[in-house]
Short mmCIF file of all heavy atoms in Angstrom, two decimals:
data_model
loop_
_atom_site.label_atom_id
_atom_site.label_comp_id
_atom_site.label_asym_id
_atom_site.label_seq_id
_atom_site.Cartn_x
_atom_site.Cartn_y
_atom_site.Cartn_z
N LYS J 315 31.36 -5.22 219.20
CA LYS J 315 30.55 -5.62 218.05
C LYS J 315 29.09 -5.47 218.46
O LYS J 315 28.71 -5.85 219.56
CB LYS J 315 30.89 -7.06 217.67
CG LYS J 315 30.34 -7.55 216.37
CD LYS J 315 31.04 -8.86 216.03
CE LYS J 315 30.64 -9.57 214.80
NZ LYS J 315 29.58 -9.23 214.02
N ALA J 316 28.29 -4.87 217.60
CA ALA J 316 26.86 -4.67 217.91
C ALA J 316 26.15 -6.01 218.07
O ALA J 316 25.32 -6.18 218.96
CB ALA J 316 26.20 -3.85 216.80
N SER J 317 26.49 -6.97 217.23
CA SER J 317 25.95 -8.32 217.39
C SER J 317 27.00 -9.16 218.11
O SER J 317 28.16 -8.78 218.19
CB SER J 317 25.62 -8.90 216.01
OG SER J 317 26.77 -8.95 215.21
N PRO J 318 26.61 -10.32 218.64
CA PRO J 318 27.59 -11.14 219.37
C PRO J 318 28.76 -11.59 218.47
O PRO J 318 28.61 -11.79 217.27
CB PRO J 318 26.76 -12.35 219.82
CG PRO J 318 25.35 -11.91 219.76
CD PRO J 318 25.27 -10.88 218.67
N TRP J 319 29.92 -11.76 219.10
CA TRP J 319 31.09 -12.28 218.41
C TRP J 319 30.80 -13.73 218.02
O TRP J 319 30.29 -14.51 218.83
CB TRP J 319 32.34 -12.26 219.31
CG TRP J 319 32.84 -10.92 219.70
CD1 TRP J 319 32.74 -10.34 220.92
CD2 TRP J 319 33.54 -9.99 218.88
NE1 TRP J 319 33.33 -9.09 220.92
CE2 TRP J 319 33.84 -8.86 219.66
CE3 TRP J 319 33.95 -9.99 217.55
CZ2 TRP J 319 34.50 -7.76 219.17
CZ3 TRP J 319 34.63 -8.90 217.06
CH2 TRP J 319 34.90 -7.79 217.86
N PRO J 320 31.13 -14.15 216.82
CA PRO J 320 30.99 -15.57 216.48
C PRO J 320 31.95 -16.40 217.35
O PRO J 320 33.09 -15.99 217.60
CB PRO J 320 31.39 -15.65 215.01
CG PRO J 320 31.30 -14.26 214.49
CD PRO J 320 31.54 -13.37 215.66
N ALA J 321 31.49 -17.54 217.78
CA ALA J 321 32.34 -18.43 218.57
C ALA J 321 33.52 -18.88 217.71
O ALA J 321 33.39 -19.04 216.49
CB ALA J 321 31.54 -19.64 219.06
N GLY J 322 34.65 -19.05 218.34
CA GLY J 322 35.82 -19.51 217.62
C GLY J 322 37.09 -18.90 218.17
O GLY J 322 37.09 -18.21 219.20
N LYS J 323 38.17 -19.16 217.47
CA LYS J 323 39.49 -18.67 217.88
C LYS J 323 39.82 -17.40 217.11
O LYS J 323 39.53 -17.27 215.92
CB LYS J 323 40.56 -19.73 217.67
CG LYS J 323 40.32 -20.93 218.55
CD LYS J 323 41.44 -21.91 218.47
CE LYS J 323 41.09 -23.07 219.40
NZ LYS J 323 42.24 -23.83 219.77
N TYR J 324 40.45 -16.47 217.83
CA TYR J 324 40.86 -15.19 217.28
C TYR J 324 42.31 -14.96 217.68
O TYR J 324 42.84 -15.63 218.57
CB TYR J 324 40.03 -14.04 217.87
CG TYR J 324 38.56 -14.05 217.52
CD1 TYR J 324 37.68 -14.92 218.15
CD2 TYR J 324 38.05 -13.15 216.59
CE1 TYR J 324 36.33 -14.90 217.86
CE2 TYR J 324 36.70 -13.13 216.29
CZ TYR J 324 35.85 -14.01 216.92
OH TYR J 324 34.51 -13.98 216.62
N LYS J 325 42.91 -14.00 217.03
CA LYS J 325 44.23 -13.53 217.49
C LYS J 325 44.26 -12.02 217.37
O LYS J 325 43.61 -11.42 216.51
CB LYS J 325 45.38 -14.18 216.72
CG LYS J 325 45.43 -13.85 215.24
CD LYS J 325 46.58 -14.58 214.58
CE LYS J 325 46.55 -14.38 213.08
NZ LYS J 325 47.63 -15.07 212.41
N VAL J 326 45.01 -11.39 218.27
CA VAL J 326 45.23 -9.95 218.24
C VAL J 326 46.66 -9.75 217.77
O VAL J 326 47.60 -10.24 218.39
CB VAL J 326 45.02 -9.30 219.64
CG1 VAL J 326 45.37 -7.82 219.59
CG2 VAL J 326 43.59 -9.51 220.11
N GLU J 327 46.82 -9.04 216.63
CA GLU J 327 48.15 -8.73 216.09
C GLU J 327 48.44 -7.26 216.38
O GLU J 327 47.72 -6.38 215.92
CB GLU J 327 48.19 -8.95 214.58
CG GLU J 327 48.04 -10.37 214.15
CD GLU J 327 48.05 -10.54 212.64
OE1 GLU J 327 47.93 -9.53 211.90
OE2 GLU J 327 48.15 -11.70 212.19
N VAL J 328 49.49 -7.01 217.13
CA VAL J 328 49.91 -5.64 217.45
C VAL J 328 51.10 -5.29 216.56
O VAL J 328 52.08 -6.03 216.50
CB VAL J 328 50.27 -5.49 218.94
CG1 VAL J 328 50.75 -4.08 219.23
CG2 VAL J 328 49.06 -5.84 219.81
N THR J 329 50.98 -4.16 215.87
CA THR J 329 52.02 -3.71 214.96
C THR J 329 52.64 -2.41 215.47
O THR J 329 51.92 -1.50 215.85
CB THR J 329 51.42 -3.47 213.56
OG1 THR J 329 50.80 -4.67 213.11
CG2 THR J 329 52.48 -3.07 212.56
N ALA J 330 53.96 -2.37 215.49
CA ALA J 330 54.72 -1.15 215.85
C ALA J 330 55.94 -1.11 214.96
O ALA J 330 56.46 -2.15 214.56
CB ALA J 330 55.12 -1.18 217.32
N ASN J 331 56.41 0.07 214.63
CA ASN J 331 57.57 0.24 213.75
C ASN J 331 57.34 -0.44 212.41
O ASN J 331 58.27 -0.90 211.77
CB ASN J 331 58.85 -0.32 214.40
CG ASN J 331 59.17 0.35 215.70
OD1 ASN J 331 59.06 1.56 215.84
ND2 ASN J 331 59.57 -0.43 216.70
N GLY J 332 56.09 -0.54 211.98
CA GLY J 332 55.77 -1.09 210.68
C GLY J 332 55.80 -2.61 210.59
O GLY J 332 55.70 -3.17 209.51
N ALA J 333 55.97 -3.31 211.72
CA ALA J 333 56.03 -4.76 211.70
C ALA J 333 55.22 -5.33 212.86
O ALA J 333 55.06 -4.67 213.90
CB ALA J 333 57.48 -5.23 211.81
#
Side-chain angles (χ1 to χ4, degrees):
K315 191 167 178 352
S317 59
W319 294 107
K323 295 187 180 200
Y324 294 77
K325 64 181 173 181
V326 175
E327 293 178 348
V328 177
T329 303
N331 301 318

